[in-house]
């Protein structure tokens, strides 16, 4: 059974408005939602685009630091993305839905060897127009450190690499928190 609602009478409307006024509610100036996001500035976009083009043309040998890095826990989930990466793209990467085209296993390398291998691998992957790769860094504790050295350094190195748009820990079948998916910037063909 449906009920028909009757429009309120003038006394009810007046009482409602008085109650709102007494509560301090005021009329809004404009009837438009504010999503809280700043509007895109096309000048800033042009500057970012130019910086991206210039970073791709730079020689990337030795682009990653070999200094101190922030230690991460063995089971810690790693995640990074550039600010303007679409949410959907990062979400698909995190769920393992972005197919990776090549992988690099850093087990058994010294810290310097791992850095060299990673840089070389990323250069080759970019040159071959790969979009997503898998880096297995492991989560074993270092022999002289009380944290997973390769995992911590890989986390820092990937954040510094100009062609990396995003990375996150892999799903369990691909290595879990002992590996990361890396989303690479599309290179000019």
């Amino acid at each position: 059974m449906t009920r028909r609602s009757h429009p309120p009478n003038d006394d009810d409307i007046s009482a409602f408005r008085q109650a709102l006024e007494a509560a301090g509610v005021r009329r809004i100036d404009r009837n438009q939602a504010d999503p809280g996001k700043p509007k895109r500035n096309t000048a800033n976009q042009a500057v970012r685009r130019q910086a991206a083009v210039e970073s791709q043309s730079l020689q990337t040998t030795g682009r990653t630091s070999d200094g101190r890095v922030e230690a991460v826990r063995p089971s810690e989930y790693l995640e990074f993305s550039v600010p303007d990466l679409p949410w959907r793209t990062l979400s698909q990467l995190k769920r393992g839905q972005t197919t990776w085209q090549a992988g690099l296993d850093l087990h058994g390398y010294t810290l310097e060897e791992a850095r060299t291998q990673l840089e070389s691998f990323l250069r080759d992957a970019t040159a071959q127009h790969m979009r997503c790769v898998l880096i297995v860094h492991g989560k074993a504790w270092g022999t002289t450190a009380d944290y997973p050295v390769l995992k911590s350094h890989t986390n820092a190195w990937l954040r510094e690499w100009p062609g990396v748009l995003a990375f996150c820990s892999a799903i369990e079948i691909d290595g879990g928190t002992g590996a990361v998916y890396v989303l690479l910037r599309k290179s000019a063909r």
Side-chain angles (χ1 to χ4, degrees):
M1 183 162 39
T2 60
R3 288 179 142 177
R4 290 193 181 259
S5 62
H6 297 284
N9 62 30
D10 290 338
D11 291 336
D12 291 341
I13 292 173
S14 178
F16 179 71
R17 286 188 178 149
Q18 287 175 358
L20 288 176
E21 189 176 313
V25 176
R26 58 183 169 79
R27 212 176 257 281
I28 58 174
D29 295 330
R30 57 188 183 148
N31 192 14
Q32 188 175 13
D34 179 14
K37 290 196 257 181
K39 293 186 178 175
R40 288 191 175 219
N41 184 343
T42 55
N44 287 346
Q45 277 183 317
V47 169
R48 281 197 316 265
R49 189 169 287 130
Q50 182 63 31
V53 169
E54 289 172 4
S55 73
Q56 287 182 350
S57 64
L58 292 174
Q59 178 66 8
T60 54
T61 303
R63 296 280 303 163
T64 56
S65 70
D66 53 2
R68 290 181 47 87
V69 298
E70 182 180 336
V72 295
R73 294 182 315 277
S75 61
E76 186 171 340
Y77 184 87
L78 301 181
E79 182 180 337
F80 164 82
S81 71
V82 294
D84 55 349
L85 185 74
W87 173 84
R88 178 182 225 166
T89 303
L90 182 60
S91 179
Q92 289 172 337
L93 187 70
K94 289 162 83 172
R95 290 192 308 259
Q97 294 176 335
T98 305
T99 305
W100 52 276
Q101 294 132 321
L104 172 67
D105 189 349
L106 297 176
H107 284 102
Y109 289 114
T110 65
L111 190 59
E112 188 55 38
E113 289 171 341
R115 183 168 74 98
T116 304
Q117 288 293 319
L118 180 65
E119 289 177 353
S120 175
F121 178 73
L122 291 174
R123 270 194 305 279
D124 292 346
T126 302
Q128 294 174 25
H129 306 290
M130 292 184 186
R131 185 74 168 134
C132 182
V133 295
L134 179 75
I135 308 290
V136 180
H137 47 68
K139 46 188 176 179
W141 295 66
T143 55
T144 60
D146 59 349
Y147 62 93
V149 175
L150 283 179
K151 180 175 182 171
S152 299
H153 278 79
T154 300
N155 182 37
W157 294 335
L158 290 174
R159 290 171 190 271
E160 296 170 354
W161 194 261
V164 172
L165 290 176
F167 67 86
C168 65
S169 291
I171 59 174
E172 283 303 314
I173 197 166
D174 288 330
T177 56
V180 287
Y181 298 122
V182 182
L183 187 65
L184 299 173
R185 189 177 304 278
K186 290 181 184 176
S187 62
R189 290 185 182 215

